[in-house]
Amino acid sequence: MRQFVLAANWKMNKTPVETAAFFQTFLSGFSPSPGRQTVFFVPALDITTAIGATNGRGVGIGTQNIHFKKKGAFTGENSAEAAKAAGCEWTLVGHSERRSLFGETDLITAKKMKLALECGLKPMLCVGESLDERTAGETMKVVERQLTVGLEAMTAADWASVTIAYEPVWAIGTGKVATPEQASEVHTAIRAWLERRAGAEVAAAMPILYGGSAKPENFREIASQKNIDGFLVGGASLEADSFLKFCAW
Ligand code: PGA
């Protein structure tokens, strides 16, 4: 049985003090359950606070970005090795904001995937089409290209540590959520792609998350569709009460 994964992407929000306050409220209402993983992708400067606040409470902490080189003269970048040493279990790779605002290419995501695994982090690869690409009927062409290049170096041993998040760019932070059918169609196609690429067993075990304006009011209908194994939640993960509604489902 594959895991159901609820992941919060805080982006560049919350100070360490706000992070500590969040977890105080969140953890008073949270209990871990089997078959589920709960993950917080927090800003790099909040990682230590988040790890300290959640130690032993059944949630994982991740970094939102890593550099593709292990160390060196890369001023301002996050090291995967340091994130792991600080207690992170996870990292996002290829979030659409990284791609569109910071020039992250498919080839860069491929290098980050490999380095994350080498450093013992579980990478969550984000894929998704823009509105223009969807309108042009190119959704699956784009998603398959992102998957093909981003996951090119994965070996049989790597797959168990990989997670995929489908996030249509036009739905991120816009309040415009994909319909359950739109999400399910792409998730089903991603699983079919995985089956071709890595075999039926890997495809069946891979959690594929939906992200893009997921809210307490709209996620249940999406969650009940085929091939949807969790959510990557931005705006609606910033308030403990709101994110707890996802976790309590
Ligand atoms: P959103 O962000 O839930 O605020 O749309 C999702 C994301 O960017 O991961």
Side-chain angles (χ1 to χ4, degrees), residues 7-9 11 92 95-97 126 167 171-175 211-215 232-237:
N9 175 12
K11 312 194 179 187
L92 285 178
H95 187 277
S96 82
E97 284 148 22
C126 304
E167 298 203 298
I172 295 178
T174 58
S213 296
K215 303 258 179 297
L232 178 55
V233 186
S237 72

Side-chain angles (χ1 to χ4, degrees), residues 138-198:
E138 291 180 347
T139 297
M140 274 325 295
K141 190 174 133 199
V142 170
V143 169
E144 288 196 3
R145 188 201 70 224
Q146 292 169 333
L147 293 170
T148 303
V149 182
L151 299 174
E152 179 159 25
M154 296 303 97
T155 63
D158 290 335
W159 289 109
S161 306
V162 171
T163 304
I164 295 170
Y166 168 58
E167 298 203 298
V169 178
W170 47 270
I172 295 178
T174 58
K176 230 177 129 186
V177 66
T179 65
E181 295 73 25
Q182 282 172 327
S184 178
E185 186 186 12
V186 179
H187 283 229
T188 301
I190 291 175
R191 203 171 310 283
W193 180 89
L194 276 167
E195 194 168 332
R196 295 195 296 279
R197 166 69 175 81

Side-chain angles (χ1 to χ4, degrees), residues 217-231:
E217 309 81 60
N218 65 25
F219 80 92
R220 289 178 186 81
E221 210 187 338
I222 301 174
S224 64
Q225 300 289 311
K226 233 173 74 187
N227 288 316
I228 295 183
D229 313 309
F231 293 88

Side-chain angles (χ1 to χ4, degrees), residues 25-47:
T25 313
F26 177 81
L27 291 170
S28 68
F30 174 77
S31 33
S33 38
R36 291 210 166 203
Q37 299 193 51
T38 308
V39 187
F40 289 87
F41 293 103
V42 304
L45 292 170
D46 296 337
I47 286 171

Side-chain angles (χ1 to χ4, degrees), residues 92-111:
L92 285 178
V93 172
H95 187 277
S96 82
E97 284 148 22
R98 298 297 315 170
R99 293 177 190 262
S100 67
L101 303 173
F102 302 101
E104 197 159 309
T105 62
D106 294 329
L107 277 173
I108 293 175
T109 66
K111 292 186 194 174

